[in-house]
Each structure stands twice: as C-alpha cells, then as structure tokens.
Amino acid sequence: MFVNRRVELKVLHSAYESLMRGEKVNVAVIGPRRIGKTELLLKFKGEAQGVVPYLNLQRIGNLESFIFAYTRELLYEIARALEMKVERSGLLTWDDLLILSAKLDVDKEVKAIKDGSLETLFEVQESILEKTGQKAVFILDEFQEVLNFKGFLEIMRALTEKQKNIAYFISGSAVRMMEGILAPKNPFFGQFRRVYLKGLPKEDAIELAKITLERAGVEVTQSALELIYKLTQGHPFYVLAVCRRLIEEGFEKIRRRDVHYAFLTELLTEKGDIYMHLEYVFNESLSRAYKGPVHKQILLILAQEEGLRLSEIARRLNKPTGEVSNYLKFLLRTDLVVRQNERYYFADKLMRFWLAKTYLGITELELRREKFLEELIKELEEKYLRVKKELGLAKEAVVREKMREIFGIDFKPYRRGDVEFDGVAFGDKVYVLEVKWRSRPATYRDVEEFVRKVRGEFGSAEMFFFSKSGFTEKAKELCEKEGIRMLKPEDLGTR
Ligand SMILES: Nc1ncnc2c1ncn2[C@@H]1O[C@H](COP(=O)(O)OP(=O)(O)OP(=O)(O)O)[C@@H](O)[C@H]1O
Ligand SMILES: [Mg+2]
C-alpha cells in the first residue's frame, strides 16, 4: 500500500503538466536510503497517462547497456501510449527493438542509436518523440551512478537542455553526491527543481502502521501508533519493520511496551531489518571515504556526545587539529555526519543510537528484561531523539515556511562541501537566506561573513537576513549598502 506524499506527488504532476504545455521542468528527488523515493516515482508513473519510462541505474553496468535499456524503455512506453500490443519481455535484443521501431516508423532513428554513441541517443530521442507525436518524462532512479560514465553529465546537458519533448525526473540516495551533481559549476546547475524526501508526516506514518497491522488482524491503540511514529520518525521502512516484528511476535493487542520491545529488537539485534539497514548504510557510506580506524573512532566519539567542535574532537583523539580536520572532511562527504555552526552531528539520530549501542553487543535476551528495555528507551528519547540541534533546525524550518507563505520563495537548506546556507532557492535568480536565532542582535561581522559566503558560492544573489533579535546599527548600514533584505520576527509573524 502507498500512503500519501501529497505534496511531492503534486510537484511531479505539475512538472509533467508543464512539459505538456511546452515549458519543461526537470525534478530531482533527493533523500536518504529507503525513505520512499522509488515508491514515490513509481506511484507518479502509475498515475500519469502517457510516456513515462523508468530506469534504475543501479543495475546498469556499462554505457552500452545503458543506451540499450534507455532506448528499450522509451520505445516500450511510446508503443503503450499508442495502444499497440507490446510485451516488455519480448524486447530483449536490438533486433527486437528494431522490429518494434519499424512499426512506430522510427527504425532509421533506432538504427542510428544502435550504431552510435551516447550523443546519438540523446540527439535522436527528440525526433523519435516528434515523429510519434509524444512527450516523455524519463525517470532515472539512482542517478548518481552516471558519475561512473565519464563526460555523461556534460553530454546529457548539452543535448537535452533545449529539447522540448522530454523532461527528466532523477533520484538518488547519496545526498551529497546528488547535491554535487546539481551544484554551481556543474552542468546541471539550475536545471532541476529539487524535492527533498523526509520521513512521512505523522498522520501518514500512523495510517501506514495502522493499516499494516489491522490487515494482519492485529489490534492497536492510538497511543501505541503514536509511539511507533515517534520512535521511527516516520521513516516508512522503519515503520514497516516495526509492524512486521509486532505481527510476527503474535501479539493480539498491541500495547506501548510491545512497541518498545519490537522497535529495539529491530534496531539493536542482528535479526532486525532496521539493524541490517543501518549496518549496510554505515558500511557503504564509510567505504566511500574510509581512511582507517580513526574515522570509526571519531564516529564513536560523536555517538557518545554530539555537537563537538573540531578542537574538542582533536583533544579527545589526542591528535593535531590539522590532521583531525582532514578526517572530518572525509566524514562530511559520507552523509553520516553534518556540520552546523562549527559543530559536528550525526545526520541520522537513530544511526547514532544504533552505533553507540551495537558496540555494546546487546542481546535479545536482555531486551526481554523489562527494566533494561525501559532504561534504553528512556535514554533514546532523552539523549538521542531530543537534541539541541533540533531546536535550531526547527527554527530555521519555521522561518523557511514563513518565507514560503509570505514571499512565495521555496527555500531549502543548502550544503555543498564545506559551504552551508540556511536556505537557498533557485528561480529566475538565486535567493539565499540566513537565519540567526540568537538573543543578541546580528552584527556587522555576521552580515559581512554572509555576503562573503554568498559571493563565493553564487557570485550574485538576492539575499535575505533573518535575525531574531534585530540588527546593530553597523549591521543595518551594511545590509542597506549590500541590498540585503533585513527580517525580524514581527515581519514574519513568528514571535
Ligand atoms: N508513501 C509510502 N507509503 C507506504 N510505504 C512506503 C511509502 N514510501 C516508502 N514505503 C515503503 O518503504 C520502503 C522503502 O521505499 P523505497 O524503496 O521506495 O525507498 P528508496 O528511497 O527508493 O530506497 P533506496 O534508497 O534503497 O532506493 C519500501 O518497503 C516501501 O514499500
Ligand atoms: Mg530506490
């Protein structure tokens, strides 16, 4: 079953409608592993009428097989849109594609692709669509895999940018890599609307759990459902894992205690799906940047205590800050760790808890002990799920939300390499937002620093500076000089 994702589906549908009207919009769906990217894209595909080929690049080994698979999906979808009888399983070789293309009267084009290169594919697809009178949204899942093909982005951009009949929805779980692909200086900068996928909203997560449990004949209270949401943070894969565990345990009526037990079993014992998932993500992420045991050591330090500064981490490791700074740069590239205001945090709070606890080797038997279970849950809720950073992030989110309501600018958090902004929006120009949520006014230096960062990253941009406690006189002058829009809580109605 599929729950909601209304907002995201709407973005996809309206991009599709734009293409039909002749103004194409590309979309990038970005989010961590198993958060529901593929599910969302396939749901859209199921709802959309017309030519919507889907390709998962994870399974594509080399450029030749990419060209074949791409052509195959495109032709198959066109044939279906034209209500021709065609089976996907009957399209296994270039000869099969040539036969189908003859029926579509595009055999010359398909032959050219077969004997040609990636350039030929992108060039010729437009005339295939033209001739068959179709427009297509091509979904490319796990798009970051194209980085394995040298020059792919440049070629794709150069040839498809001006094509009227095709738009792309791309998706990827390596958040940093996807942002890199879409960053300034790279060919795709400014060409994609971004949709960041997070956990499900509360009511959707609860609906998913409720229906899953009730279908299996398991009764559940509202308070147990809310607990499932709270512990899983709405991550659909976690919700389903907890429900499956509850069903397998054979409970008839689920109480809060059962949820605690099922959740911790999933998270902390080797038979758990969440455990397996986190272990996979952890190893995969580290393999991208792994440089030795020190990286793991740093992660273990942060698992115990988050929000440390470089100097504090260096002190704990008894190593020079210069060296530790390099380790941290590697870790930032893994998606495991994020930096905010010079401090380092885990990107995923459950990953942090998992790491801190699995090194202790918790066993199933221990989880059956009520007291131990209670202590763990208490620690999880008090230390891991409720951290200070959340407060800061929540405030930034409130400001972005208000900016959307009042100015119609859809700011998203932005991070590329070491550069971070509280909000960036791409439209006719680049919009950048700074949020200072402090009890003293923003200073000249705060504003100066912001301007420097914006210039360095984007050259020119429309700048907004929100400060909870207003601005010093000097800061105001600089804002006026630089044309920065100053905002205070009363401007946004957020006091
Ligand atoms: N909106 C939803 N409603 C119900 N279940 C969902 C929803 N979104 C995701 N799921 C479930 O969560 C799991 C993960 O979803 P999916 O495979 O789409 O994630 P993904 O982001 O594509 O993951 P990956 O990064 O591994 O490719 C699946 O079991 C899916 O059924
Ligand atoms: Mg997927």
Side-chain angles (χ1 to χ4, degrees), residues 79 128 159 199 239 249 319 373-374 440:
I128 294 179
L159 292 167
V239 173
E249 290 287 329
K319 286 189 190 301
L373 196 71
E374 271 170 23
R440 56 191 164 81

Side-chain angles (χ1 to χ4, degrees), residues 317-331:
L317 287 168
N318 213 357
K319 286 189 190 301
T321 49
E323 184 185 336
V324 175
S325 159
N326 282 330
Y327 297 134
L328 285 165
K329 277 199 191 116
F330 262 106
L331 287 174

Side-chain angles (χ1 to χ4, degrees), residues 202-235:
K202 186 169 175 184
E203 69 264 35
D204 296 344
I206 287 182
E207 187 189 340
L208 180 60
K210 188 167 189 261
I211 295 179
T212 306
L213 290 169
E214 285 179 355
R215 272 191 193 159
V218 180
E219 229 185 285
V220 58
T221 63
Q222 183 65 23
S223 121
L225 285 169
E226 285 187 9
L227 186 59
I228 294 178
Y229 167 73
K230 186 166 154 206
L231 293 172
T232 60
Q233 321 245 302
H235 194 305

Side-chain angles (χ1 to χ4, degrees), residues 1-3 33-39 142 173 208 236:
M1 75 168 274
F2 183 85
V3 299
R33 296 229 60 136
R34 312 253 80 204
I35 198 75
K37 299 177 296 295
T38 301
E39 200 83 15
E142 300 296 349
S173 50
L208 180 60

